[in-house]
C-alpha cells in the first residue's frame, strides 16, 4: 500500500510540474514521467494491456512527436524567460495547493471516493472484447485516424506552387 | 439498416480518395445525394431503420445502435444541414482541392453525428463526439488564416477541457456501474440517486456538454469559432454540430439517466433561462452579422435547455422540436450571412445597408428565418416556442414561462436591428454594383425557407407524425 501512495504522490508532483514549468521540453518530460507512473500503476492493477499501450503510445510515441515539434521552435532570451516564469508563478501559485487540498478533503470526508487502488477484476480477453463486442469503437477509432490524416493533409501539407 | 448510416458515408470517403482521375468532381454530387437519401429515408421510410429483419448488415457489424422518434428527427436535421452546407461550400470555397477536402471533412463529421444520435453506450458516444469535434476544428481552420486558426484554437481548447471532464466522469461511472450502457447506468442511478459519486460524475459530464453546447457561462468560444470559420463551416457548426454534440446528447442523457438526479432539473432550467437572456442581450450589442447570429444561437439553445429541465413529456417534445427548428432557421440565417459576405467581402454590418433591393431572395428568406426565430406565426419557430411556453406554464413554472415569452421580444428586437442595418433603408454608398447571388446559393436558402413555412403551415401533420411520438420516449 505504501508503494501506491508513493506512486500517486510522484504522479501528482509530475502533473503539477508539467503544467507549472515554463519550458516546453520540461513539460514534455513531465508528461512522459506521468505516463510512465500511470503505466506502473496499471501494471500493479493487473491491467497489463492498458499499461503497455500507455507506455508505448503516451510515454514513447507522443513524447517523440512533441520533442520533434519543439525542436522547430526558437529559444527565448533569459530575461524574457525570467519574466514569464514570474508571471506564471504569480498567476498559478494557488493551483498545487488547491489540488492537494481537494484530494485531502475528498478522500477524508467522502469515503466513497477512496483513493486506495484496488485490483481490476479479471475481464475477458481485451482482444476478444474489441473484436467481438465493441465493433463500433473500432470503427470510431478508424474514423478518428482518417480525420487525423485529413487534418495533417489540410493543415500541414503545402500546396504545389 | 442503421449501420448503413455509418458504413455508406465511410465507403464513399474511401472511394472518393482512390487514386483515380475525376473522382474529386464526384465529391459534391455524391455527398449531396447521400444527404438527400438520409432525409428521404428518415422522413418517409423510418421503418427501414428499425426493422431488424431487413438489417442484413448487423450479421457482420454489431454496432448496437437504437432508433426512435428523437433519432429520426435528428437524422433529418443532420441530412438537411449537410445538404445546405455542401451547396454553400460548393460556391464559397473557390480552391478545388480545399473544397474537396472540406467535403470529406463534412462527411466525416456527418458520420460522427449519425453515430451520436443512435448510440446507447457512453464510451462509444464520447468517441464519436470526438470524431465530429476534430473534423470541425479542421473545417474552421481550412483557410489557415489568422482568424480561422484563432477560432479553431479556442474551440479546440474548450473542447479539450470538455473532453477531460467527460472522460473523468466516465472513469467515475465505471466505479459504480458495471457497464456504460445507458440502461445499465439508469438502473444504478435509480437505485441510489442521492449518491455523491453519482452526482459528481453526472455533474462533470453535464459541464462538458454545456461547454460543447456553448451555453452561458461556457459560451465565449462560440462567437469566435462561428465568425472566424469559412461560411460553409459556420452553417454546419451553428446549424447542427453544436446542437448534436452538445444539446442533443444532453437531452438524450437527461431522459436516459441524468434526469433521475433530483437537482439537475432546476440547474438546467436556471442555466437555460440565463442563456436566453444573456445571449439575446449580447446579440443586441454586436455589429458583425455572424457574431450576432452566434449570440442568438446561445439564446435559442437556452430555450431548449429550459424546456428540457422542465422535465415533462410535453416540454421534452417541445425542446426536441425547437432543436429541429433551430437547425433550420439558424442554418438559413448563416446561409444569408454567407451570401452577403460573398457579395460584399465583409460581415461587418456597419458597411451594409439597403441590400434588400439588390438581393431580394436573400432578404426575403432572411425575414422568414428571422420571424421563425422570434416565434412569429405561422412559421415553424412559433409552434415550438408556443409549446415550450405552454409546457412551462402547465408544469407550474410561471416565472420561466413569462421569461421565455418576454425574451421573444428581445429576439425580435435584435433581429429587426440586423434587418434594418443589412437589408432595409437606403443603399449604402459604394454598394450600387451589388447583385443577388447565383442559383447555387439561392437553392439552399429557398429549401430551408420552404421547410420553415411547410412545418409551420402543416403543423398538425408534423405534430401527429413527429412530435407526439417524442412524448412517448419521455414517458417510457
Amino acid at each position: 500500500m505504501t508503494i501506491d501512495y508513493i506512486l500517486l504522490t510522484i504522479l501528482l508532483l509530475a502533473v503539477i510540474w508539467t503544467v507549472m514549468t515554463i519550458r516546453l521540453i520540461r513539460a514534455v518530460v513531465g508528461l512522459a514521467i506521468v505516463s510512465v507512473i500511470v503505466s506502473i500503476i496499471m501494471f500493479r492493477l493487473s491491467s497489463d494491456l492498458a499499461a503497455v499501450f500507455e507506455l508505448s503510445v503516451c510515454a514513447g510515441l507522443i513524447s517523440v512527436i512533441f520533442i520533434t515539434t519543439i525542436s522547430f521552435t526558437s529559444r527565448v532570451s533569459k530575461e524574457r524567460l525570467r519574466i514569464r516564469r514570474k508571471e506564471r508563478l504569480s498567476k498559478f501559485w494557488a493551483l498545487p495547493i488547491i489540488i492537494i487540498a481537494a484530494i485531502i478533503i475528498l478522500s477524508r470526508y467522502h469515503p466513497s471516493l477512496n483513493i486506495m487502488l484496488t485490483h481490476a477484476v479479471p475481464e475477458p480477453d481485451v482482444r476478444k472484447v474489441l473484436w467481438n463486442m465493441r465493433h463500433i469503437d473500432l470503427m470510431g477509432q478508424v474514423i478518428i485516424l482518417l480525420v487525423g490524416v485529413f487534418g495533417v493533409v489540410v493543415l500541414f501539407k503545402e500546396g504545389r506552387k | 439498416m442503421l449501420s448503413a448510416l455509418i458504413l455508406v458515408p465511410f465507403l464513399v470517403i474511401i472511394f472518393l480518395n482512390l487514386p483515380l482521375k475525376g473522382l474529386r468532381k464526384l465529391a459534391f454530387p455524391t455527398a449531396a445525394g447521400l444527404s438527400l437519401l438520409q432525409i428521404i429515408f428518415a422522413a418517409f421510410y423510418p421503418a427501414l431503420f428499425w426493422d431488424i429483419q431487413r438489417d442484413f448488415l448487423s450479421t457482420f457489424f454489431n454496432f448496437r445502435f437504437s432508433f426512435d422518434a428523437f433519432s429520426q428527427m435528428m437524422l433529418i436535421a443532420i441530412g438537411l444541414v449537410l445538404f445546405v452546407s455542401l451547396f454553400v461550400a460548393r460556391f464559397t470555397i473557390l480552391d478545388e482541392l480545399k473544397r474537396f477536402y472540406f467535403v470529406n471533412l463534412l462527411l466525416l463529421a456527418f458520420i460522427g453525428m449519425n453515430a451520436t444520435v443512435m448510440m446507447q453506450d457512453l464510451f462509444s458516444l464520447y468517441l464519436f463526439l470526438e470524431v465530429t469535434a476534430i473534423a470541425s476544428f479542421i473545417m474552421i481552420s481550412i483557410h489557415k488564416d489568422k482568424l480561422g486558426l484563432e477560432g479553431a484554437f479556442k474551440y479546440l481548447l474548450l473542447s479539450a477541457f470538455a473532453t477531460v471532464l467527460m472522460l473523468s466522469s466516465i472513469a467515475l461511472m465505471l466505479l459504480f456501474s458495471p457497464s456504460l450502457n445507458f440502461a445499465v447506468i439508469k438502473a444504478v442511478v435509480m437505485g441510489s440517486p442521492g449518491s455523491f459519486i453519482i452526482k459528481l460524475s453526472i455533474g462533470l459530464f453535464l459541464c462538458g456538454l454545456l461547454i460543447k453546447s456553448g451555453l452561458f457561462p461556457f459560451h465565449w468560444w462560440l462567437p469566435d469559432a462561428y465568425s472566424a470559420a469559412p461560411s460553409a463551416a459556420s452553417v454546419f457548426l451553428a446549424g447542427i454540430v453544436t446542437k448534436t454534440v452538445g444539446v442533443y446528447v444532453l437531452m438524450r442523457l437527461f431522459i436516459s439517466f441524468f434526469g433521475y438526479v433530483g437537482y439537475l432539473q432546476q440547474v438546467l432550467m436556471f442555466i437555460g433561462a440565463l442563456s436566453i437572456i444573456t445571449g439575446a442581450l449580447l446579440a443586441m450589442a454586436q455589429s458583425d452579422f455572424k457574431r450576432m447570429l452566434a449570440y442568438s444561437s446561445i439564446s435559442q439553445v437556452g430555450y431548449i435547455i429550459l424546456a428540457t429541465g422542465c422535465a415533462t413529456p410535453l416540454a421534452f417534445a417541445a425542446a426536441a422540436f425547437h432543436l429541429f427548428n433551430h437547425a433550420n432557421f439558424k442554418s438559413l440565417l448563416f446561409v444569408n450571412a454567407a451570401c452577403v459576405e460573398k457579395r460584399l467581402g465583409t460581415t461587418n454590418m456597419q458597411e451594409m445597408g439597403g441590400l434588400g433591393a439588390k438581393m431580394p431572395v436573400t432578404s426575403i428568406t432572411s425575414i422568414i428565418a428571422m420571424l421563425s426565430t422570434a416565434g412569429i406565426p405561422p412559421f415553424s419557430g412559433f409552434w415550438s416556442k408556443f409549446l415550450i411556453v405552454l409546457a412551462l406554464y402547465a408544469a407550474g413554472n410561471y416565472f420561466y414561462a413569462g421569461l421565455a415569452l418576454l425574451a421573444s421580444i428581445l429576439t425580435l428586437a435584435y433581429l429587426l436591428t440586423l434587418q434594418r442595418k443589412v437589408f432595409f433603408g437606403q443603399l449604402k454608398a459604394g454598394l450600387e454594383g451589388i447583385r443577388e447571388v447565383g442559383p447555387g446559393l439561392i437553392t439552399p436558402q429557398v429549401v430551408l425557407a420552404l421547410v420553415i413555412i411547410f412545418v409551420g403551415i402543416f403543423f398538425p401533420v408534423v405534430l401527429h407524425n413527429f412530435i407526439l411520438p417524442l412524448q412517448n420516449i419521455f414517458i417510457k
Side-chain angles (χ1 to χ4, degrees):
Chain A
M1 205 51 72
T2 319
I3 187 86
D4 287 339
Y5 275 118
I6 293 170
L7 284 171
L8 288 172
T9 310
I10 299 172
L11 182 72
L12 192 64
L13 292 174
V15 165
I16 292 171
W17 191 54
T18 305
V19 292
M20 292 294 285
T21 182
I22 197 86
R23 288 184 187 272
L24 283 174
I25 289 282
R26 286 183 191 169
V28 173
V29 173
L31 204 60
I33 294 171
V34 169
S35 289
V36 171
I37 304 289
V38 168
S39 302
I40 296 170
I41 292 172
M42 282 172 175
F43 270 120
R44 286 185 54 74
L45 296 174
S46 321
S47 302
D48 298 354
L49 213 61
V52 170
F53 270 117
E54 180 68 30
L55 198 62
S56 59
V57 178
C58 296
L61 182 69
I62 291 179
S63 300
V64 170
I65 294 173
F66 276 162
I67 289 170
T68 313
T69 313
I70 292 165
S71 68
F72 290 113
T73 61
S74 58
R75 273 178 167 272
V76 293
S77 67
K78 282 197 174 167
E79 181 58 22
R80 179 101 185 102
L81 199 68
R82 196 181 59 77
I83 295 167
R84 284 174 67 179
R85 186 177 291 135
K86 206 173 165 187
E87 281 175 0
R88 176 73 59 96
L89 281 173
S90 65
K91 275 181 191 165
F92 300 111
W93 62 268
L95 183 69
I97 300 168
I98 291 170
I99 293 173
I100 294 166
I103 290 170
I104 292 169
I105 292 167
L106 285 175
S107 58
R108 186 163 279 233
Y109 296 105
H110 277 287
S112 56
L113 264 182
N114 190 357
I115 59 165
M116 290 294 167
L117 304 178
T118 49
H119 284 253
V121 182
E123 291 280 339
D125 190 337
V126 176
R127 287 161 295 185
K128 281 185 184 161
V129 172
L130 270 176
W131 284 111
N132 300 338
M133 294 163 67
R134 311 287 301 191
H135 285 173
I136 190 63
D137 292 348
L138 278 178
M139 187 75 194
Q141 287 180 38
V142 170
I143 295 169
I144 282 192
L145 277 176
L146 199 59
V147 182
V149 170
F150 276 103
V152 171
V153 171
V154 168
L155 297 176
F156 299 112
K157 192 180 155 192
E158 287 299 314
R160 290 193 195 105
K161 298 271 188 254
Chain B
M1 291 297 280
L2 293 175
S3 328
L5 294 170
I6 307 300
L7 292 170
V8 174
F10 178 72
L11 292 174
V12 164
I13 294 169
I14 301 290
F15 169 73
L16 290 174
N17 287 280
L18 289 175
L20 296 171
K21 269 191 175 177
L23 286 183
R24 277 184 195 164
K25 287 194 166 44
L26 289 178
F28 170 73
T30 319
L34 262 183
S35 60
L36 277 181
L37 275 178
Q38 175 154 316
I39 297 166
I40 293 165
F41 282 126
F44 303 109
Y45 306 102
L48 193 71
F49 291 125
W50 62 58
D51 187 351
I52 296 163
Q53 297 298 319
R54 294 189 218 175
D55 192 1
F56 67 92
L57 283 173
S58 64
T59 326
F60 309 102
F61 300 98
N62 183 14
F63 285 172
R64 300 177 184 209
F65 287 143
S66 82
F67 185 83
D68 57 23
F70 196 16
S71 320
Q72 181 191 11
M73 188 176 262
M74 287 307 293
L75 286 174
I76 298 170
I78 292 167
L80 193 62
V81 180
L82 173 70
F83 180 76
V84 168
S85 306
L86 281 164
F87 269 86
V88 179
R90 174 83 178 77
F91 297 97
T92 55
I93 300 177
L94 303 175
D95 184 292
E96 195 194 341
L97 190 62
K98 265 186 196 169
R99 196 165 60 231
F100 173 71
Y101 290 140
F102 192 85
V103 173
N104 278 287
L105 289 164
L106 279 176
L107 283 175
L108 285 163
F110 175 64
I111 295 175
M113 287 187 290
N114 276 355
T116 300
V117 300
M118 301 182 294
M119 204 59 82
Q120 287 295 308
D121 181 279
L122 207 57
F123 183 76
S124 309
L125 178 82
Y126 156 77
L127 206 60
F128 282 91
L129 290 185
E130 288 305 298
V131 169
T132 316
I134 300 169
S136 305
F137 306 144
I138 306 165
M139 278 193 270
I140 296 172
S141 52
I142 198 156
H143 289 313
K144 290 192 266 185
D145 55 331
K146 189 174 173 288
L147 269 180
L149 288 169
E150 191 185 322
F153 185 68
K154 281 184 181 167
Y155 185 22
L156 176 76
L157 212 63
L158 259 279
S159 202
F161 187 57
T163 298
V164 170
L165 293 175
M166 286 180 186
L167 276 179
S168 309
S169 162
I170 288 174
L172 286 175
M173 274 181 200
L174 284 170
L175 290 177
F176 61 80
S177 173
S179 156
L180 290 174
N181 184 285
F182 294 172
V184 177
I185 302 175
K186 178 183 171 181
V188 177
V189 173
M190 282 176 80
S192 49
S195 156
F196 172 73
I197 201 158
I198 289 178
K199 281 183 180 174
L200 180 66
S201 66
I202 288 180
L204 287 174
F205 210 97
L206 179 71
C207 285
L209 290 175
L210 292 178
I211 292 173
K212 294 240 178 208
S213 312
L215 275 156
F216 185 85
F218 307 103
H219 65 285
W220 60 268
W221 64 269
L222 193 134
D224 287 334
Y226 284 8
S227 57
S231 298
S234 305
V235 175
F236 199 59
L237 274 176
I240 201 73
V241 171
T242 49
K243 308 303 164 289
T244 306
V245 300
V247 184
Y248 167 84
V249 176
L250 199 157
M251 290 176 71
R252 172 64 73 185
L253 295 184
F254 186 81
I255 53 169
S256 297
F257 58 89
F258 274 20
Y260 296 96
V261 177
Y263 71 99
L264 216 64
Q265 297 174 7
Q266 292 305 320
V267 170
L268 283 187
M269 286 178 82
F270 181 69
I271 290 175
L274 218 56
S275 294
I276 293 174
I277 300 295
T278 319
L281 290 176
L282 288 171
M284 288 178 110
Q286 302 306 312
S287 60
D288 184 276
F289 200 149
K290 281 190 187 176
R291 285 186 83 84
M292 183 182 267
L293 297 182
Y295 282 109
S296 163
S297 261
I298 296 168
S299 178
Q300 295 305 312
V301 169
Y303 277 96
I304 301 167
I305 300 302
L306 176 64
T308 307
C310 183
T312 64
L314 178 64
F316 173 74
F321 185 38
H322 197 61
L323 181 59
F324 177 79
N325 286 337
H326 183 265
N328 291 332
F329 56 64
K330 199 43 56 77
S331 299
L332 179 50
L333 284 168
F334 269 97
V335 178
N336 296 143
C339 296
V340 172
E341 189 182 8
K342 184 168 172 66
R343 281 292 177 247
L344 271 68
T346 178
T347 50
N348 185 353
M349 290 191 287
Q350 307 296 342
E351 297 172 32
M352 300 172 192
L355 288 174
K358 296 283 179 183
M359 303 175 77
V361 180
T362 307
S363 171
I364 290 167
T365 51
S366 80
I367 291 170
I368 292 170
M370 175 196 83
L371 294 175
S372 184
T373 312
I376 306 293
F379 301 104
S380 59
F382 162 73
W383 293 109
S384 51
K385 280 196 176 175
F386 174 68
L387 287 178
I388 287 173
V389 174
L390 198 67
L392 287 167
Y393 187 81
N397 297 304
Y398 305 120
F399 171 72
Y400 286 125
L403 189 134
L405 263 179
L406 286 174
S408 277
I409 300 169
L410 280 180
T411 312
L412 196 63
Y414 67 74
L415 286 172
L416 275 175
T417 311
L418 184 146
Q419 288 292 332
R420 187 176 55 78
K421 284 184 176 171
V422 180
F423 296 108
F424 298 164
Q426 274 203 328
L427 189 69
K428 200 106 175 171
L431 301 179
E432 293 80 12
I434 295 294
R435 55 194 168 83
E436 183 59 276
V437 287
L441 280 173
I442 285 180
T443 310
Q445 297 184 80
V446 173
V447 167
L448 286 171
L450 286 176
V451 172
I452 291 170
I453 295 169
F454 177 86
V455 172
I457 291 175
F458 296 98
F459 177 67
V461 179
V462 178
L463 181 77
H464 182 73
N465 290 302
F466 295 98
I467 301 170
L468 293 180
L470 284 168
Q471 284 190 308
N472 297 335
I473 303 172
F474 189 88
I475 294 164
K476 198 168 81 179

